[in-house]
Amino acid sequence: MDIARLKASWEAAAEHGVQLPLFFYSTLFLDNPPLREMFPPAMAGQRDKLVAALGNVVSNIDQVDTVIPMVQQLGRDHRKFGVIAEHYPAVGNALMAALEYFLGDQWTPELAADWSEAYGLVAKVMVDAANAAAETTPPWWEAEIVAHERRTLNIAVLTLRTNPRMDYLPGQSIAVQTVVRPQMWRYYSPANSPRSDDTMELHVRLVDGGAVSSALVQAVGVGDVLRLGAPIGRDLVVDHPRDLLLIAGGTGLAPFKSLVDHAANEQSRRRIRLFVGARTRRDFYDMTALQDYARRLPGLRVVPVTSEDPEFSGERGRVADVAIQHGIWPNEEIYLCGSPEMVTNSLAALRAAGVPDDRVHHEEFAGTSAPPPQQAPPRTWQEQAHV
């Protein structure tokens, strides 16, 4: 398998933009009509995810330590869509047809063999990971809504009870689907560590034009049942004993509240500094719970920060800038969560303050890298969920 040839061919094919995934899906559904039911009615957003996921895998195909866990996660995650081993050849055939069409004279027997080998490897790793997961976990979980609170005009806190029990790590994310928006999945981080009563808390912000967020905030209620995918992601999982600096924007608070909840349950002596950013004081939708954690955890300090509230008596400004003003943080591991814009700005501010990149952790979004020397990161699993 010629890695350089694979990468070059992918870059050439990707230059055709949306036409490539359009051709791929048209071929896939024309040759395999039953597969259409596995996808959402509107495919506009889905098409970009195909390009992101395949480009990520191909561009890292020679980095086994990077690509294998990535592909294994895709295999496990695709179980929630009903994907089985028999579907992979159909996807491979559609992919090869699309590449052949758009590469034209560049599509040689040698390149076809490279792609066939690369896709075969990816498919095998995904199938093996899915089969292994099937031995211990269901393809999805049912979760009844047992509480639904509108904390602000555009933020709701949902409490769910899963069946069967779902084990996850604080900081991971979970795909959510509602019958109000069939075949549409969006990722949210539980805002608590696993509980003995199998309940979890989700923080959902109403996104302009967001079909799933609008349904979860405005359309569902107590007694409704959601479907959850397997927990994914390691970017915000804390697997070390060092002190923490957590910088949250909006509902980016959720995974950090889960980390704090875990620390409280473990009676941790770790020092945790949590900076919570919001536009105005009215947007601090969960301060009561955070203040309760601060009373229970001697090492926890919570600092609310507003960016657009001149009458707020506390800290004002961009949340990362305020965190930097509080100290150099030479020994803490730093975690960021919020909108892509918030993460991008925070990364740039931390780098300008001299914080090394290897001490800053965040979920990857396209375009959320700070200016060079850091290269733009690949898309997160949340954006690559459904190929």
Side-chain angles (χ1 to χ4, degrees), residues 44-63:
Q46 182 57 52
R47 292 192 293 264
D48 292 339
K49 294 174 184 178
L50 165 72
V51 175
L54 286 178
N56 202 353
V57 170
V58 172
S59 64
N60 290 283
I61 196 69
D62 55 337
Q63 302 176 35

PDB file of all heavy atoms in Angstrom, residues 44-63:
ATOM      1  N   ALA A  44     -27.970  17.049   4.173  1.00  0.00           N
ATOM      2  CA  ALA A  44     -26.998  18.125   3.936  1.00  0.00           C
ATOM      3  C   ALA A  44     -25.843  18.071   4.926  1.00  0.00           C
ATOM      4  O   ALA A  44     -24.673  18.091   4.549  1.00  0.00           O
ATOM      5  CB  ALA A  44     -27.687  19.479   3.999  1.00  0.00           C
ATOM      6  N   GLY A  45     -26.148  17.987   6.219  1.00  0.00           N
ATOM      7  CA  GLY A  45     -25.079  17.928   7.204  1.00  0.00           C
ATOM      8  C   GLY A  45     -24.320  16.623   7.166  1.00  0.00           C
ATOM      9  O   GLY A  45     -23.122  16.562   7.429  1.00  0.00           O
ATOM     10  N   GLN A  46     -25.023  15.544   6.842  1.00  0.00           N
ATOM     11  CA  GLN A  46     -24.404  14.222   6.807  1.00  0.00           C
ATOM     12  C   GLN A  46     -23.282  14.137   5.784  1.00  0.00           C
ATOM     13  O   GLN A  46     -22.276  13.473   5.996  1.00  0.00           O
ATOM     14  CB  GLN A  46     -25.480  13.177   6.480  1.00  0.00           C
ATOM     15  CG  GLN A  46     -24.972  11.751   6.455  1.00  0.00           C
ATOM     16  CD  GLN A  46     -24.339  11.365   7.764  1.00  0.00           C
ATOM     17  OE1 GLN A  46     -24.937  11.538   8.808  1.00  0.00           O
ATOM     18  NE2 GLN A  46     -23.131  10.855   7.713  1.00  0.00           N
ATOM     19  N   ARG A  47     -23.441  14.789   4.651  1.00  0.00           N
ATOM     20  CA  ARG A  47     -22.451  14.661   3.584  1.00  0.00           C
ATOM     21  C   ARG A  47     -21.075  15.163   4.030  1.00  0.00           C
ATOM     22  O   ARG A  47     -20.052  14.557   3.715  1.00  0.00           O
ATOM     23  CB  ARG A  47     -22.938  15.429   2.352  1.00  0.00           C
ATOM     24  CG  ARG A  47     -24.166  14.796   1.708  1.00  0.00           C
ATOM     25  CD  ARG A  47     -24.430  15.412   0.350  1.00  0.00           C
ATOM     26  NE  ARG A  47     -24.823  16.809   0.458  1.00  0.00           N
ATOM     27  CZ  ARG A  47     -26.082  17.229   0.471  1.00  0.00           C
ATOM     28  NH1 ARG A  47     -27.063  16.360   0.409  1.00  0.00           N
ATOM     29  NH2 ARG A  47     -26.363  18.514   0.553  1.00  0.00           N
ATOM     30  N   ASP A  48     -21.045  16.268   4.770  1.00  0.00           N
ATOM     31  CA  ASP A  48     -19.761  16.795   5.225  1.00  0.00           C
ATOM     32  C   ASP A  48     -19.081  15.840   6.187  1.00  0.00           C
ATOM     33  O   ASP A  48     -17.857  15.780   6.247  1.00  0.00           O
ATOM     34  CB  ASP A  48     -19.955  18.154   5.888  1.00  0.00           C
ATOM     35  CG  ASP A  48     -20.386  19.216   4.898  1.00  0.00           C
ATOM     36  OD1 ASP A  48     -20.149  19.017   3.689  1.00  0.00           O
ATOM     37  OD2 ASP A  48     -20.970  20.219   5.324  1.00  0.00           O
ATOM     38  N   LYS A  49     -19.853  15.110   6.987  1.00  0.00           N
ATOM     39  CA  LYS A  49     -19.268  14.203   7.960  1.00  0.00           C
ATOM     40  C   LYS A  49     -18.532  13.059   7.283  1.00  0.00           C
ATOM     41  O   LYS A  49     -17.521  12.573   7.789  1.00  0.00           O
ATOM     42  CB  LYS A  49     -20.357  13.676   8.892  1.00  0.00           C
ATOM     43  CG  LYS A  49     -20.952  14.776   9.769  1.00  0.00           C
ATOM     44  CD  LYS A  49     -22.120  14.259  10.571  1.00  0.00           C
ATOM     45  CE  LYS A  49     -22.763  15.411  11.358  1.00  0.00           C
ATOM     46  NZ  LYS A  49     -23.941  14.982  12.114  1.00  0.00           N
ATOM     47  N   LEU A  50     -19.030  12.609   6.151  1.00  0.00           N
ATOM     48  CA  LEU A  50     -18.333  11.563   5.401  1.00  0.00           C
ATOM     49  C   LEU A  50     -16.943  12.030   5.016  1.00  0.00           C
ATOM     50  O   LEU A  50     -15.941  11.330   5.241  1.00  0.00           O
ATOM     51  CB  LEU A  50     -19.121  11.192   4.143  1.00  0.00           C
ATOM     52  CG  LEU A  50     -18.317  10.385   3.105  1.00  0.00           C
ATOM     53  CD1 LEU A  50     -18.096   8.966   3.604  1.00  0.00           C
ATOM     54  CD2 LEU A  50     -18.978  10.421   1.755  1.00  0.00           C
ATOM     55  N   VAL A  51     -16.850  13.220   4.422  1.00  0.00           N
ATOM     56  CA  VAL A  51     -15.562  13.743   3.981  1.00  0.00           C
ATOM     57  C   VAL A  51     -14.618  13.902   5.165  1.00  0.00           C
ATOM     58  O   VAL A  51     -13.437  13.546   5.096  1.00  0.00           O
ATOM     59  CB  VAL A  51     -15.748  15.085   3.252  1.00  0.00           C
ATOM     60  CG1 VAL A  51     -14.403  15.696   2.894  1.00  0.00           C
ATOM     61  CG2 VAL A  51     -16.593  14.890   1.998  1.00  0.00           C
ATOM     62  N   ALA A  52     -15.132  14.417   6.297  1.00  0.00           N
ATOM     63  CA  ALA A  52     -14.283  14.622   7.467  1.00  0.00           C
ATOM     64  C   ALA A  52     -13.743  13.308   8.005  1.00  0.00           C
ATOM     65  O   ALA A  52     -12.556  13.180   8.289  1.00  0.00           O
ATOM     66  CB  ALA A  52     -15.069  15.352   8.556  1.00  0.00           C
ATOM     67  N   ALA A  53     -14.612  12.309   8.141  1.00  0.00           N
ATOM     68  CA  ALA A  53     -14.187  11.040   8.725  1.00  0.00           C
ATOM     69  C   ALA A  53     -13.201  10.311   7.822  1.00  0.00           C
ATOM     70  O   ALA A  53     -12.141   9.851   8.277  1.00  0.00           O
ATOM     71  CB  ALA A  53     -15.404  10.159   8.990  1.00  0.00           C
ATOM     72  N   LEU A  54     -13.506  10.203   6.541  1.00  0.00           N
ATOM     73  CA  LEU A  54     -12.615   9.482   5.634  1.00  0.00           C
ATOM     74  C   LEU A  54     -11.286  10.221   5.478  1.00  0.00           C
ATOM     75  O   LEU A  54     -10.217   9.602   5.454  1.00  0.00           O
ATOM     76  CB  LEU A  54     -13.278   9.306   4.271  1.00  0.00           C
ATOM     77  CG  LEU A  54     -14.396   8.263   4.209  1.00  0.00           C
ATOM     78  CD1 LEU A  54     -14.998   8.217   2.816  1.00  0.00           C
ATOM     79  CD2 LEU A  54     -13.886   6.894   4.607  1.00  0.00           C
ATOM     80  N   GLY A  55     -11.344  11.540   5.372  1.00  0.00           N
ATOM     81  CA  GLY A  55     -10.108  12.300   5.258  1.00  0.00           C
ATOM     82  C   GLY A  55      -9.237  12.128   6.483  1.00  0.00           C
ATOM     83  O   GLY A  55      -8.010  12.010   6.385  1.00  0.00           O
ATOM     84  N   ASN A  56      -9.864  12.088   7.663  1.00  0.00           N
ATOM     85  CA  ASN A  56      -9.118  11.905   8.901  1.00  0.00           C
ATOM     86  C   ASN A  56      -8.426  10.547   8.918  1.00  0.00           C
ATOM     87  O   ASN A  56      -7.246  10.425   9.255  1.00  0.00           O
ATOM     88  CB  ASN A  56     -10.072  12.022  10.091  1.00  0.00           C
ATOM     89  CG  ASN A  56      -9.361  12.380  11.369  1.00  0.00           C
ATOM     90  OD1 ASN A  56      -8.139  12.426  11.430  1.00  0.00           O
ATOM     91  ND2 ASN A  56     -10.123  12.626  12.412  1.00  0.00           N
ATOM     92  N   VAL A  57      -9.149   9.501   8.543  1.00  0.00           N
ATOM     93  CA  VAL A  57      -8.578   8.152   8.549  1.00  0.00           C
ATOM     94  C   VAL A  57      -7.461   8.036   7.525  1.00  0.00           C
ATOM     95  O   VAL A  57      -6.359   7.542   7.816  1.00  0.00           O
ATOM     96  CB  VAL A  57      -9.677   7.103   8.283  1.00  0.00           C
ATOM     97  CG1 VAL A  57      -9.053   5.732   8.039  1.00  0.00           C
ATOM     98  CG2 VAL A  57     -10.641   7.033   9.461  1.00  0.00           C
ATOM     99  N   VAL A  58      -7.713   8.500   6.294  1.00  0.00           N
ATOM    100  CA  VAL A  58      -6.712   8.352   5.240  1.00  0.00           C
ATOM    101  C   VAL A  58      -5.456   9.147   5.559  1.00  0.00           C
ATOM    102  O   VAL A  58      -4.332   8.671   5.368  1.00  0.00           O
ATOM    103  CB  VAL A  58      -7.297   8.791   3.879  1.00  0.00           C
ATOM    104  CG1 VAL A  58      -6.209   8.832   2.819  1.00  0.00           C
ATOM    105  CG2 VAL A  58      -8.398   7.829   3.454  1.00  0.00           C
ATOM    106  N   SER A  59      -5.620  10.359   6.082  1.00  0.00           N
ATOM    107  CA  SER A  59      -4.457  11.186   6.349  1.00  0.00           C
ATOM    108  C   SER A  59      -3.615  10.657   7.503  1.00  0.00           C
ATOM    109  O   SER A  59      -2.465  11.060   7.667  1.00  0.00           O
ATOM    110  CB  SER A  59      -4.892  12.625   6.650  1.00  0.00           C
ATOM    111  OG  SER A  59      -5.668  12.673   7.832  1.00  0.00           O
ATOM    112  N   ASN A  60      -4.173   9.733   8.269  1.00  0.00           N
ATOM    113  CA  ASN A  60      -3.419   9.147   9.377  1.00  0.00           C
ATOM    114  C   ASN A  60      -3.179   7.650   9.190  1.00  0.00           C
ATOM    115  O   ASN A  60      -2.803   6.967  10.146  1.00  0.00           O
ATOM    116  CB  ASN A  60      -4.171   9.367  10.698  1.00  0.00           C
ATOM    117  CG  ASN A  60      -4.183  10.805  11.147  1.00  0.00           C
ATOM    118  OD1 ASN A  60      -3.206  11.314  11.657  1.00  0.00           O
ATOM    119  ND2 ASN A  60      -5.301  11.482  10.928  1.00  0.00           N
ATOM    120  N   ILE A  61      -3.382   7.140   7.980  1.00  0.00           N
ATOM    121  CA  ILE A  61      -3.348   5.700   7.756  1.00  0.00           C
ATOM    122  C   ILE A  61      -1.998   5.094   8.106  1.00  0.00           C
ATOM    123  O   ILE A  61      -1.890   3.917   8.439  1.00  0.00           O
ATOM    124  CB  ILE A  61      -3.723   5.371   6.285  1.00  0.00           C
ATOM    125  CG1 ILE A  61      -4.089   3.885   6.129  1.00  0.00           C
ATOM    126  CG2 ILE A  61      -2.615   5.774   5.350  1.00  0.00           C
ATOM    127  CD1 ILE A  61      -5.356   3.491   6.788  1.00  0.00           C
ATOM    128  N   ASP A  62      -0.934   5.894   8.057  1.00  0.00           N
ATOM    129  CA  ASP A  62       0.395   5.384   8.388  1.00  0.00           C
ATOM    130  C   ASP A  62       0.748   5.590   9.863  1.00  0.00           C
ATOM    131  O   ASP A  62       1.853   5.257  10.282  1.00  0.00           O
ATOM    132  CB  ASP A  62       1.456   6.067   7.521  1.00  0.00           C
ATOM    133  CG  ASP A  62       1.402   7.583   7.615  1.00  0.00           C
ATOM    134  OD1 ASP A  62       0.332   8.112   7.978  1.00  0.00           O
ATOM    135  OD2 ASP A  62       2.421   8.224   7.310  1.00  0.00           O
ATOM    136  N   GLN A  63      -0.180   6.119  10.648  1.00  0.00           N
ATOM    137  CA  GLN A  63       0.049   6.330  12.077  1.00  0.00           C
ATOM    138  C   GLN A  63      -0.846   5.378  12.864  1.00  0.00           C
ATOM    139  O   GLN A  63      -1.945   5.728  13.286  1.00  0.00           O
ATOM    140  CB  GLN A  63      -0.244   7.782  12.445  1.00  0.00           C
ATOM    141  CG  GLN A  63       0.586   8.792  11.660  1.00  0.00           C
ATOM    142  CD  GLN A  63       0.206  10.222  11.979  1.00  0.00           C
ATOM    143  OE1 GLN A  63      -0.143  10.548  13.118  1.00  0.00           O
ATOM    144  NE2 GLN A  63       0.252  11.084  10.965  1.00  0.00           N
TER     145      GLN A  63
END
